[in-house]
Amino acid sequence: MDHDAMDLAEARYELVISVDARRSGEYDDVDKQRMRERIYRVLEAAFTHAKVARDAVHMEDRGDGVLLSVAGRIAVTRLLGLWMVEVHENLRDENRGLSVPLGLRVGMHVGPVRHDGRGISGRAVDLACRLADSPLARRLLDAERADLVLVTSQSLYEDVVSSGGKFIEPAHYSSARLELKEGEVTAWFHLPGRPAPEIPTAAPAAPDADRVDDARDVRDTRDVRDARGVDDAGGVDDAPDVDDARRVDGEDRADGPRAHYTVHGDMSQHSDNVYQQPVHIGRITGDAGRRKG
């Protein structure tokens, strides 16, 4: 039997870890190379201190990060616990003295993984990558001014994290719903060395300026029409209801009578006005000069 062919056809249940650098596109070519060197130093030193054998770890370079899978013979609790502690501490050491500290987003999920000559594949791989790259992971890392954020799948949290263990504190995780390409999922967020993070809520969308102006124009038009009693066709209503006499400064006056008018020409209604000098009310016609005196 060809065991290599069997290995390609069969999936192995492994822990998939996706590691992405924060704002990698803002690094120039020289700094990006240094960033990549820091990422590998952080991860490899953590594997050494957590006593995870190198032959149990598959690593793929992703330019601004690393994709890893860990063989099932290694306890997942060791990766979630001691290994994450070491990653965090190593990252803090690397960031000392840096004007722009390196930030990492780590996504984790356990599931079937297929290996071939080019690397690993499978839904478990896709989900781990989606978790690390989720907008909420990015926002949380910035909002908390943190060096590292860990995002686990719902199944990984329920099967491993929720039971606790050495360096694993389930109370320090917060859940949130994420909209991914494959659909909506629940994920759990953790900032090593900190209490459970507050999940930032989306900022309310700013009102569209055109819609605000349109609404204001419609409201103003209605106010004018209500005051003048003009219908949509531009004519004059036969019997408009005028409530101005019952309203003062936008409030109803209970003592004011409700008036009804039939208008065939210009009309104005005035109430409770105080004039400090002579005023003219109404339009000035052509014979206004003859009526002086």
Side-chain angles (χ1 to χ4, degrees):
M1 180 181 292
D2 188 343
H3 291 285
D4 291 336
M6 183 179 66
D7 287 344
L8 289 176
E10 293 182 352
R12 311 168 189 172
Y13 269 77
E14 297 181 343
L15 174 66
V16 183
I17 306 173
S18 175
V19 180
D20 282 341
R22 170 173 51 194
R23 295 198 183 94
S24 60
E26 297 180 7
Y27 290 89
D28 60 26
D29 289 347
V30 174
D31 287 336
K32 182 164 291 189
Q33 180 63 35
R34 293 171 179 166
M35 173 201 73
R36 286 162 48 79
E37 292 171 355
R38 292 188 185 102
I39 293 175
Y40 278 96
R41 280 200 300 267
V42 165
L43 300 180
E44 291 172 349
F47 281 122
T48 298
H49 293 137
K51 294 182 170 55
V52 177
R54 295 300 177 90
D55 63 356
V57 180
H58 167 84
M59 301 182 70
E60 289 182 29
D61 185 76
R62 290 298 178 98
D64 57 354
V66 183
L67 176 63
L68 309 100
S69 66
V70 182
R73 71 176 188 267
I74 305 298
V76 176
T77 52
R78 192 184 304 178
L79 279 302
L80 279 167
L82 180 58
W83 184 77
M84 282 304 304
V85 170
E86 291 294 338
V87 169
H88 184 221
E89 290 301 319
N90 294 340
L91 183 58
R92 293 177 62 188
D93 288 341
E94 288 286 343
N95 281 336
R96 284 193 176 95
L98 293 182
S99 57
V100 181
L102 173 63
L104 295 179
R105 304 185 308 275
V106 179
M108 284 192 183
H109 177 55
V110 171
V113 177
R114 284 182 166 80
H115 293 252
D116 59 29
R118 297 178 180 83
I120 59 175
S121 63
R123 289 187 176 183
V125 176
D126 295 341
L127 180 54
C129 294
R130 299 276 193 266
L131 295 177
D133 195 45
S134 63
L136 185 51
R138 296 171 180 270
R139 291 172 54 203
L140 189 60
L141 196 63
D142 290 338
E144 296 292 337
R145 298 179 180 274
D147 298 311
L148 177 66
V149 59
L150 168 65
V151 191
T152 72
S153 63
Q154 172 78 353
S155 60
L156 181 56
Y157 180 86
E158 291 177 346
D159 295 342
V160 182
V161 177
S162 63
S163 298
K166 191 173 183 179
F167 303 117
I168 301 176
E169 299 180 84
H172 289 187
Y173 285 70
S174 296
S175 65
R177 296 291 287 174
L178 300 180
E179 283 287 350
L180 305 181
K181 291 182 179 180
E182 294 79 5
E184 191 176 74
V185 301
T186 297
W188 289 82
F189 295 80
H190 173 57
L191 300 173
R194 303 191 187 190
E198 291 187 9
I199 302 301
T201 56
D208 184 82
D210 293 337
R211 292 183 179 178
V212 172
D213 291 340
D214 291 344
R216 186 179 296 119
D217 292 342
V218 171
R219 185 173 61 252
D220 293 344
T221 302
R222 288 176 177 172
D223 291 344
V224 171
R225 288 180 53 200
D226 290 345
R228 297 180 58 194
V230 180
D231 61 13
D232 292 337
V236 179
D237 289 343
D238 290 339
D241 291 339
V242 180
D243 292 338
D244 291 345
R246 304 184 67 223
R247 298 182 62 82
V248 176
D249 296 332
E251 297 181 358
D252 288 340
R253 293 179 53 191
D255 57 343
R258 184 178 180 85
H260 296 271
Y261 299 89
T262 299
V263 180
H264 297 287
D266 294 333
M267 181 195 77
S268 63
Q269 181 175 345
H270 305 270
S271 176
D272 298 331
N273 296 319
V274 177
Y275 302 102
Q276 303 298 328
Q277 60 184 358
V279 298
H280 174 84
I281 299 176
R283 65 181 179 176
I284 299 177
T285 62
D287 60 351
R290 297 195 298 271
R291 295 183 180 179
K292 290 183 179 179

